[in-house]
């Protein structure tokens, strides 16, 4: 029972970066969801509207975020926050302070993806701004995050993926990789859907994650996370809905949203032992 994979997504809805170790902060793994694309109304744009975003590669150096695409080559964005006017951008119902990257980045995106990307701007989460997690599932606790959909961490298990793929293959569909679900932490050695019965997760005595809310999935899981295209319309979402992994809830659920209990940073490593804390009965 261990961590099999650690992944960060520096730019919301672009490709992730798999790491051997990652710094866990209260806002999520270091550099996770620090940037995102917005439209002319300053509203976030993801693979829901533009699946081709998944075809953009992402890397981090000591000094820069590097985006790459077969049609446009590479472009570097310095990690140091640029000088610029703070703007308000929207993620779901949240208004966040952000700073726009230079216009050259927007032109690069159009070169990569074509006219469908016209008018989009890359923004970064402004230092010093706090975006609080919704209080409804926090049991009186307080947490904050960057541009993630709602919570700092998303945890999934290989056992649950295996069960979903078994159901897909039984219907003549192809199995899907874990990348479809864009988790931060992937656990190995647990039975399918075991995570739905956990209150928290202790990692190697170094960190505790509290599970806050099962993750309801959307059409993003139908997107091939390397090609930026949808191979089979509605799958694996339709099969996930049929599995009723959360019987009391409508929709398809895979993975658990979580927060880090401690405020201090700690390092998580692939291979670290993971011990679940069962839900109170």
């Amino acid at each position: 029972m261990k961590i099999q994979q650690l992944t960060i997504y520096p730019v919301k809805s672009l490709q992730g970066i798999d790491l051997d170790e990652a710094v866990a902060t209260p806002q999520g793994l270091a550099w996770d969801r620090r940037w995102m694309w917005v439209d002319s109304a300053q509203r976030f744009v993801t693979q829901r509207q533009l699946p081709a975003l998944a075809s953009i590669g992402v890397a981090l150096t000591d000094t820069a975020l590097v985006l790459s695409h077969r049609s446009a080559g590479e472009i570097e964005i310095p990690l140091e926050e640029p000088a610029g006017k703070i703007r308000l951008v929207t993620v779901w119902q949240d208004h966040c302070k952000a700073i726009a990257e230079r216009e050259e980045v927007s032109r690069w995106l159009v070169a990569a993806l074509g006219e469908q990307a016209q008018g989009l701007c890359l923004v970064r989460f402004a230092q010093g701004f706090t975006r609080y997690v919704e209080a409804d599932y926090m049991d009186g606790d307080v947490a904050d995050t960057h541009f993630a959909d709602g919570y700092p961490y998303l945890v999934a298990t290989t056992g649950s993926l295996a069960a979903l793929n078994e159901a897909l293959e039984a219907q003549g569909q192809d199995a899907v990789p874990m990348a479809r679900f864009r988790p931060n932490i992937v656990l190995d050695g647990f039975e399918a859907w075991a995570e739905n019965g956990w209150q928290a997760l202790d990692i190697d005595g170094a960190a505790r994650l509290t599970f806050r809310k099962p993750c309801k999935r959307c059409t993003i899981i139908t997107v091939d996370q390397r090609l930026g295209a949808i191979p089979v319309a509605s799958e694996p979402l339709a099969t996930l809905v049929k599995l009723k992994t959360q019987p009391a809830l409508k929709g398809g659920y895979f993975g658990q949203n979580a927060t880090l209990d401690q405020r201090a940073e700690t390092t998580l490593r692939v291979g670290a032992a993971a011990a679940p804390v069962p839900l109170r009965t």
Side-chain angles (χ1 to χ4, degrees), residues 18-276:
D18 293 336
L19 302 171
D20 292 329
E21 61 179 45
V23 175
T25 78
Q27 294 76 33
L29 296 180
W31 294 109
D32 190 57
R33 272 85 171 198
R34 294 294 295 272
W35 287 266
M36 70 177 182
W37 301 97
V38 296
D39 60 19
S40 58
Q42 307 307 308
R43 184 165 180 79
F44 75 129
V45 175
T46 71
Q47 293 176 33
R48 297 173 185 87
Q49 299 86 19
L50 191 55
L53 288 173
S55 65
I56 298 175
V58 181
L60 285 173
T61 71
D62 291 340
T63 59
L65 168 75
V66 183
L67 306 183
S68 61
H69 192 273
R70 59 185 178 275
S71 298
E74 293 185 349
I75 189 168
E76 293 191 1
I77 296 101
L79 297 184
E80 184 178 354
E81 187 171 287
K85 185 181 294 186
I86 294 288
R87 62 172 70 182
L88 284 180
V89 299
T90 305
V91 184
W92 296 114
Q93 305 306 315
D94 294 338
H95 300 290
C96 304
K97 291 183 179 180
I99 298 177
E101 300 295 349
R102 65 193 191 274
E103 291 184 8
E104 181 187 355
V105 182
S106 296
R107 293 193 294 270
W108 178 90
L109 185 67
V110 174
L113 303 185
E115 289 303 308
Q116 61 184 335
Q118 195 69 247
L120 301 188
C121 175
L122 186 67
V123 300
R124 75 170 71 195
F125 199 89
Q127 293 182 18
F129 177 73
T130 302
R131 178 189 172 211
Y132 290 104
V133 168
E134 59 182 344
D136 294 358
Y137 298 88
M138 292 299 293
D139 294 326
D141 296 334
V142 176
D144 60 288
T145 189
H146 292 126
F147 287 140
D149 268 2
Y151 292 84
Y153 293 89
L154 179 60
V155 182
T157 69
T158 58
S160 295
L161 180 65
L164 172 59
N165 280 332
E166 183 178 353
L168 286 168
E169 290 172 335
Q171 300 174 119
Q173 302 287 346
D174 291 336
V176 297
M178 185 64 82
R180 290 287 186 98
F181 302 94
R182 301 176 66 81
N184 299 113
I185 300 173
V186 177
L187 305 173
D188 190 33
F190 298 98
E191 293 183 359
W193 320 118
E195 63 272 23
N196 296 338
W198 301 343
Q199 173 188 334
L201 185 74
D202 284 325
I203 301 176
D204 209 22
R208 173 177 280 208
L209 294 171
T210 295
F211 286 16
R212 300 295 183 177
K213 184 182 180 182
C215 187
K216 186 176 184 179
R217 310 317 301 226
C218 68
T219 56
I220 285 180
I221 69 172
T222 68
V223 180
D224 184 306
Q225 292 297 305
R226 290 295 164 186
L227 300 178
I230 299 175
V232 180
S234 81
E235 289 294 359
L237 183 57
T239 297
L240 191 59
V241 171
K242 292 176 186 175
L243 287 175
K244 295 185 181 298
T245 62
Q246 293 285 338
L249 301 173
K250 291 183 179 180
Y253 291 81
F254 188 96
Q256 290 281 341
N257 291 295
T259 58
L260 185 69
D261 281 13
Q262 65 264 38
R263 301 303 296 176
E265 296 182 357
T266 187
T267 299
L268 305 183
R269 294 178 174 84
V270 170

